């Protein structure tokens, strides 16, 4: 299983240890997204930054769309299905399955590990970006609903 982590809040007033953890996760700006495996170390990092990000389990279809629409190569070159197959020697669907299963990390492929997204169409949910997802806001764990958010942001 893999998590999609999206930075929701900015950098003003962030404690130093949380800022360092964001840097380690490569979440330097708002609306940046990373795909990380479900390991003990990454889980601890997510818990540390939970008040600044939203996260959940990503599914295969959303990851394929994310790679094709927002994935980039060094030099900000766009990706296509043929280019992904040529560089990774795997079709996009198979690459997505292996990333979700934890066999391959995005950072081990030629694809940039950070996906730069748009703000969500029609905004976040009703309570804004300072409240948790469980009470209608944008922050914290949102399980499978992260896929809906990512589709709004692509």
């Amino acid at each position: 299983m893999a998590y999609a982590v999206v930075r929701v809040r900015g950098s003003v007033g962030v404690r130093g240890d949380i800022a360092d953890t964001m840097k380690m996760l490569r979440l330097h700006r708002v609306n940046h997204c990373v795909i990380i495996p479900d390991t003990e170390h990454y889980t601890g990092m997510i818990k540390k930054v939970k008040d600044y990000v939203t996260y959940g389990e990503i599914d295969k279809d959303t990851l394929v769309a994310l790679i094709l629409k927002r994935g980039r190569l060094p030099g900000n070159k766009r990706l296509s299905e043929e280019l992904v197959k040529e560089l990774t020697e795997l079709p996009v669907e198979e690459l997505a399955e292996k990333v979700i299963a934890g066999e391959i990390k995005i950072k081990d492929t030629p694809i940039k590990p950070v996906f730069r997204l748009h703000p969500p169409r029609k905004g976040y949910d009703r309570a804004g970006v300072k409240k948790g997802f469980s009470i209608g806001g944008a922050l914290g764990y949102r399980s499978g609903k992260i896929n809906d958010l990512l589709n709004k942001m692509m």
Side-chain angles (χ1 to χ4, degrees):
M1 175 174 43
Y3 288 116
V5 183
V6 179
R7 183 166 182 166
V8 176
R9 296 180 70 191
S11 59
V12 175
V14 178
R15 283 194 344 238
D17 56 338
I18 294 174
D20 291 342
T21 306
M22 292 277 214
K23 197 177 288 186
M24 286 184 250
L25 286 171
R26 293 186 207 88
L27 294 172
H28 301 288
R29 292 174 182 249
V30 173
N31 298 328
H32 278 195
C33 173
V34 293
I35 308 299
I36 58 173
D38 182 20
T39 64
E40 185 179 329
H41 300 290
Y42 280 118
T43 306
M45 292 169 84
I46 290 174
K47 285 181 182 171
K48 182 99 168 169
V49 299
K50 70 179 174 21
D51 295 329
Y52 295 89
V53 300
T54 186
Y55 63 98
E57 296 92 11
I58 190 167
D59 64 9
K60 185 184 118 179
D61 297 333
T62 306
L63 184 55
V64 168
L66 190 67
I67 290 171
L68 292 177
K69 286 185 181 176
R70 304 303 298 175
R72 297 288 188 264
L73 293 172
N76 202 28
K77 295 185 179 113
R78 290 181 173 263
L79 287 172
S80 65
E81 289 190 39
E82 299 80 29
L83 197 54
V84 170
K85 186 166 179 138
E86 179 183 319
L87 293 171
T88 63
E89 299 164 2
L90 294 169
V92 180
E93 291 82 15
E94 193 174 329
L95 176 68
E97 286 175 11
K98 290 192 179 226
V99 167
I100 290 172
E103 298 171 25
I104 297 176
K105 292 181 183 174
I106 292 270
K107 70 177 187 176
D108 296 335
T109 65
I111 301 169
K112 283 186 174 182
V114 176
F115 298 95
R116 299 178 301 174
L117 302 174
H118 295 287
R121 287 175 187 85
K122 307 230 173 162
Y124 292 103
D125 297 331
R126 48 194 187 277
V129 296
K130 292 188 177 183
K131 304 281 186 201
F133 181 73
S134 61
I135 57 172
L139 299 175
Y141 179 68
R142 52 173 70 215
S143 68
K145 301 216 181 203
I146 191 76
N147 299 306
D148 300 334
L149 178 68
L150 289 174
N151 286 323
K152 285 170 60 174
M153 296 178 84
M154 280 192 257

